[in-house]
Amino acid sequence: MTTHRRERPGRAGGTTTDPATAAAWTAIGGGPLTEPVTYEPAPGALTARLPVLELARACVGVCSLAAAELLARRSGTPAPAVRIHEAAVATAFVSERQLRIGGRTPASFAPLSGFWPARDGWVRTHADYPHHRARLLTALGIPDPGTGDEALKGAVAAELASRTALETQEAVYAAGGLAVAVAPGPVPPAGPPPAGPSPTASPRAGIEGLPGGDPRPLPPAALPADGVRVLDLTRVIAGPVATRTLALLGADVLRIDSPRLPEDPDAHADTGLGKRSALLDLADPGDRYVFDGLVDSADVVVTGYRPGALDALGLGPAELAGRRPGLIVARLDAWGDRGPLAGRRGFDSLVQAATGIAAVEGAGGDRPGVLPAQALDHGTGYLLAAAVLRALTDRQATGAGRLIRLSLAATADWLLTGIRPPLDAPPAAVPPPDPAPWLTVTPSPYGPLRHALSPVHYAGAPRTWSRPPGRWGGDPADWR
């Protein structure tokens, strides 16, 4: 691959008009970026061929700006200054790796999740949840003898090597599992780069109005989202990062899960900070009645279901807004509404593989590569929280509701094409920043929890959450 190296913008300390930050602010409905953002550099943070650090700090930067803006609107005072530490951003973007539960390091990807050679290239599988693992084995025609995943890796590798990557992708999808063909990287533009700073596209974000009611201005408060009720219908990383951030900023976040789809306790320990967790089966009439009652007094509903899944239950944005005029509905999915994978299930690792990110990061090696963090998940999560905060600010005056739509694939496209071209060689080896100043230990029902502090920061912002994660499903399905 031949690409053109360009210097990373805004790496010096001090106030910056970082174009990625300005582009992200525009994407979430902000006007001209007039408030300064100060970035404190951290050499070695999130190094990659792609501009991962630029994306990460921009997403955290606009989330911090949106929090400061809402706080100022509620209190009638100037917005507090925003200062972002790149080392804090880098630590938070790998929060699941920094997590220690009673001194134990949580497991990473399962043995059957990863890159595998196919007959014509590579395929990426995801089998971390038991039901996804079972569906992968079913699609490949491999019986499970119950001897553990390590014993199955040889059979899985042989079967995948006998098929094309696309054959595997479609067969596993048909069985309800998760696998994608690894796509080639983007073709770089011909010729030398243009003179001057390169333009920065904005991340794709769908923002449209929903029916509003009478203005319900939030009163002055010490935290931007104090008194805001958030229903959290998300799983894994991106959506929970968004709602974890809203909880940090004062929101009453109630996560709702189906009792038929247990969550991984380690994942919940990482992203459940500040939130409560309850179980409701939305297909059960009794549980649905309880859920509808929660919507009737909610301010925000954040969903991470596949497109159409909640609509089939009569819980699409229009129906939700009909129950609660002025409601803010934030919809997150993997693939967005474009391309052959639109509407399918997906995770960060699969989106990296299918969009060409894995090919870019693996250039020159014998296998695809990965980003230094689940940056699509984390970045989209902070963008989603920022968009919700901006919608709350606008609702202060108008009472209008809003539909916000983000996807991991849209964030991937921004990373690939919207900030700067990939570097033409691996970045220089610089030790990553020390994460210790950006970690803390919190007592929890799981035992002592070492976890990352939030990178969202404005003058006076809380450093950590007011409550640890509780047990998954351990809270009543009601508002405090």
Side-chain angles (χ1 to χ4, degrees):
M1 176 184 294
T2 300
T3 57
H4 301 288
R5 182 186 296 276
R6 297 184 182 180
E7 294 301 316
R8 298 189 178 197
R11 292 311 313 279
T15 301
T16 179
T17 53
D18 174 39
T21 304
W25 184 249
T26 299
I28 62 169
L33 186 56
T34 57
E35 297 296 330
V37 182
T38 301
Y39 289 109
E40 188 69 31
L46 299 177
T47 54
R49 282 187 165 91
L50 289 164
V52 177
L53 178 61
E54 288 92 324
L55 176 142
R57 71 178 199 170
C59 294
V60 172
V62 296
C63 189
S64 303
L65 279 172
E69 178 191 46
L70 178 57
L71 185 63
R73 183 67 60 87
R74 294 183 66 165
S75 62
T77 59
V82 172
R83 184 178 187 86
I84 305 301
H85 292 264
E86 290 182 357
V89 173
T91 303
F93 265 59
V94 291
S95 64
E96 64 276 10
R97 294 185 218 161
Q98 297 291 355
L99 186 68
R100 300 292 182 270
I101 304 174
R104 175 179 62 83
T105 301
S108 186
F109 286 108
L112 300 186
S113 296
F115 293 108
W116 307 82
R119 199 169 73 212
D120 60 346
W122 289 86
V123 66
R124 181 64 161 88
T125 60
H126 194 290
D128 287 4
Y129 283 98
H131 56 291
H132 292 149
R133 172 188 177 276
R135 292 166 186 173
L136 173 67
L137 294 176
T138 297
L140 299 180
I142 298 174
D144 182 3
T147 54
D149 285 357
E150 289 296 335
L152 286 171
K153 288 175 72 173
V156 169
E159 181 60 32
L160 291 173
S162 72
R163 304 180 182 213
T164 68
L166 188 59
E167 279 181 285
T168 295
Q169 172 183 290
E170 295 306 304
V172 174
Y173 168 69
L178 292 160
V180 296
V182 176
V187 178
S198 59
T200 301
S202 295
R204 292 198 311 273
I207 297 179
E208 57 192 80
L210 287 175
D214 296 329
R216 298 194 301 272
L218 297 165
L223 292 173
D226 183 63
V228 174
R229 289 175 168 177
V230 179
L231 277 176
D232 176 7
L233 280 70
T234 68
R235 293 169 67 86
V236 193
I237 298 178
V241 163
T243 52
R244 180 180 72 183
T245 301
L246 295 173
L248 173 87
L249 298 171
D252 179 9
V253 179
L254 178 61
R255 173 169 162 167
I256 301 295
D257 283 283
S258 167
R260 293 178 284 108
L261 287 175
E263 178 60 288
D264 176 68
D266 293 350
H268 186 65
D270 177 38
T271 59
L273 287 154
K275 298 186 270 189
R276 295 179 299 123
S277 169
L279 303 180
L280 291 174
D281 183 348
L282 299 184
D284 175 83
D287 282 3
R288 174 61 182 273
Y289 178 81
V290 174
F291 179 80
D292 287 346
L294 293 170
V295 172
D296 288 344
S297 56
D299 295 287
V300 181
V301 177
V302 184
T303 73
Y305 285 71
R306 286 180 298 122
L310 288 176
D311 302 70
L313 294 171
L315 293 172
E319 290 82 4
L320 290 169
R323 293 194 63 91
R324 178 68 163 162
L327 187 68
I328 295 164
V329 180
R331 299 181 69 171
L332 168 73
D333 61 73
W335 305 104
D337 56 3
R338 306 182 187 182
L341 301 179
R344 297 189 179 187
R345 299 176 181 87
F347 291 94
D348 181 303
S349 57
L350 300 178
V351 178
Q352 286 190 40
T355 57
I357 289 173
V360 171
E361 293 299 331
D366 60 355
R367 62 185 292 116
V370 296
L371 298 177
Q374 300 282 89
L376 307 181
D377 265 331
H378 286 273
T380 307
Y382 289 109
L383 276 179
L384 193 66
V388 168
L389 293 166
R390 280 243 63 261
L392 287 167
T393 296
D394 289 346
R395 198 184 71 176
Q396 284 285 96
T398 66
R402 185 166 293 176
L403 172 60
I404 301 161
R405 290 175 294 145
L406 293 178
S407 71
L408 303 186
T411 303
D413 181 65
W414 186 42
L415 178 64
L416 282 162
T417 64
I419 303 176
R420 63 162 169 78
L423 300 177
D424 57 3
V430 177
D434 180 10
W438 313 107
L439 299 170
T440 191
V441 177
T442 298
S444 81
Y446 301 89
L449 206 68
R450 191 196 82 172
H451 61 88
L453 295 167
S454 173
V456 173
H457 186 263
Y458 56 84
R463 279 178 57 82
T464 192
W465 289 263
S466 61
R467 57 177 289 157
R471 295 289 183 184
W472 180 76
D475 294 297
D478 57 28
W479 296 115
R480 288 186 294 199

